[in-house]
Each structure stands twice: as structure tokens, then as C-alpha cells.
């Protein structure tokens, strides 16, 4: 019995040491390689990471630390009282720049679940970005009621927009990059994600 307990304690200690070594590595130029929506989908089992995504995760200590943080937050949330079955939970939405959208100036992008739309309006030398929540989204009423703070990130993890939804389910800001929207998304894997911001 004691031998099993000692073996279990040793295995646990070894696992913690491996975790520290992985998370504590210093990689020059390291940055977030995967969007929170991708990591959360892997955590809840709704989407399996592709081989390239798994490789990006294991090669980036920063992304691994973010993955661990999301996992801990998810465990803490599930330990709290469960939500009512009729109160849909939203953990993020993702989307892609379609090939057809690159031929002309980009006007809008929608997430794959059609719950969010990004609109790009020319403004002087740049663009205005407006994020809109669909009234048909199953979680729309709750997000509007709670004035949730959201952010939009590109495929490289850079924040495009962050703020609280207004009464119309919108949030807007100036386009923060020099490159035009379509070209910028192409440079970072053509993906984007809308995520809740936890303060």
C-alpha cells in the first residue's frame, strides 16, 4: 500500500517537474500561436487540434502557459454552481477570411457560427472596425444583459478590437494596423476569433 502511495507521489512530482520545464523554457520571439477559441475548443472536446496546431502548441511556452491558464479557469468555473440549462454558455467564436474576400476591399467577415460579424468601413487613411452580435445568437440576451467585454484577435494572437458591447450588441474602434484588413488577415493564417474577456 505504502509502495503504491510513494510511486504515485513520485509520478506526480515528476509530472510537475516536466510541466515546469515545458512552461519555463525561453524561446526567442515567442508569441501566442493559437487563438483562445481554438484552445478552448480543444479543452471542451468540440474540436481536436490539428498536427500543425499541436506542434505550434508544444513549441511555444507562451501558448502552453495560456492553454494551462484556460484549463485552470475552466476547472474553476465547472467547480462553481452549474448554470441553468436554458442559459447558453459562450466561450468564443472563430472564423476565416474566405478566398473570395481577398479580391476586393474587405467589407465584412463573419464567424463560422454566424453569431458575430466584423465590418470594415474606410475612414480617412485607415478603417473603422465594428463588431456586431447577431440577435439570433443563442447567448445574445445574456451577453447584452451582462454588458460583456469582448475582444477580437487575429490568427497571430494580436488584439484587433476590445471593449464592452453596447445596447445594440456592437463594439467599435479604429483599425490598429498599417496594412489593410484583408492583407493583414492573410499574413496571420486568415483566421480570427471573438472571445469573452475575463478581468
Amino acid at each position: 500500500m505504502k509502495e503504491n502511495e510513494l510511486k504515485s507521489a513520485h509520478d506526480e512530482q515528476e509530472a510537475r517537474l516536466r510541466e515546469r520545464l515545458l512552461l519555463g523554457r525561453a524561446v526567442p520571439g515567442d508569441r501566442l500561436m493559437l487563438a483562445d477559441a481554438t484552445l478552448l475548443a480543444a479543452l471542451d472536446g468540440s474540436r481536436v487540434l490539428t498536427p500543425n496546431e499541436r506542434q505550434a502548441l508544444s513549441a511555444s511556452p507562451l501558448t502552453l502557459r495560456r492553454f494551462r491558464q484556460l484549463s485552470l479557469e475552466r476547472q474553476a468555473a465547472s467547480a462553481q454552481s452549474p448554470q441553468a440549462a436554458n442559459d447558453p454558455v459562450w466561450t468564443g467564436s472563430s472564423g476565416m477570411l474566405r478566398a473570395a474576400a481577398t479580391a476586393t476591399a474587405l467589407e465584412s467577415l463573419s464567424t463560422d457560427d454566424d453569431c458575430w460579424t466584423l465590418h470594415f468601413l474606410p475612414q480617412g487613411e485607415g478603417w473603422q472596425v465594428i463588431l456586431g452580435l447577431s440577435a439570433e445568437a443563442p447567448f445574445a440576451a445574456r451577453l447584452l444583459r451582462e454588458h460583456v467585454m469582448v475582444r477580437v484577435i487575429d490568427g497571430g494572437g494580436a488584439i484587433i478590437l476590445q471593449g464592452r458591447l453596447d445596447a445594440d450588441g456592437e463594439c467599435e474602434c479604429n483599425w490598429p494596423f498599417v496594412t489593410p484588413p484583408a492583407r493583414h488577415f492573410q499574413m496571420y493564417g486568415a483566421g480570427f476569433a471573438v472571445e469573452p474577456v475575463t478581468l
Side-chain angles (χ1 to χ4, degrees), residues 95-111:
M96 294 286 289
L97 174 71
R98 307 296 172 207
T102 61
T104 59
L106 187 61
E107 293 181 3
S108 66
L109 277 178
S110 293
T111 54

Side-chain angles (χ1 to χ4, degrees), residues 80-130:
Q80 293 172 353
S81 56
Q83 290 190 313
N86 62 352
D87 193 8
V89 176
W90 174 69
T91 56
S93 302
S94 59
M96 294 286 289
L97 174 71
R98 307 296 172 207
T102 61
T104 59
L106 187 61
E107 293 181 3
S108 66
L109 277 178
S110 293
T111 54
D112 295 338
D113 58 13
D114 286 325
C115 292
W116 302 91
T117 304
L118 274 176
H119 298 278
F120 305 95
L121 306 173
Q123 185 180 56
E125 296 295 310
W127 294 266
Q128 184 77 1
V129 187
I130 302 171

Side-chain angles (χ1 to χ4, degrees), residues 18-69:
R18 273 198 311 269
E19 183 181 286
R20 271 198 211 127
L21 287 171
L22 272 173
L23 297 175
R25 289 177 301 152
V27 175
D30 192 15
R31 61 186 172 83
L32 284 175
M33 300 300 290
L34 299 171
D36 279 8
T38 302
L39 298 174
L40 286 164
L43 284 170
D44 68 21
S46 63
R47 180 182 173 293
V48 178
L49 291 177
T50 65
N52 284 344
E53 287 170 338
R54 284 198 302 274
Q55 185 179 353
L57 180 63
S58 62
S60 167
L62 184 63
T63 309
L64 272 171
R65 286 194 293 273
R66 181 62 182 155
F67 189 54
R68 182 175 180 272
Q69 179 62 34

Side-chain angles (χ1 to χ4, degrees), residues 9 11 27 31 35 71 88 92 125 129 132 134 147 152-153 156 167 171 184 187 197:
D11 290 348
V27 175
R31 61 186 172 83
S71 176
E125 296 295 310
V129 187
S134 168
H147 299 288
V152 179
I153 59 171
C171 182
H184 179 85
M187 287 165 53
V197 177

Side-chain angles (χ1 to χ4, degrees), residues 176-191:
F177 308 105
V178 175
T179 50
R183 194 165 0 131
H184 179 85
F185 285 113
Q186 284 175 324
M187 287 165 53
Y188 294 96

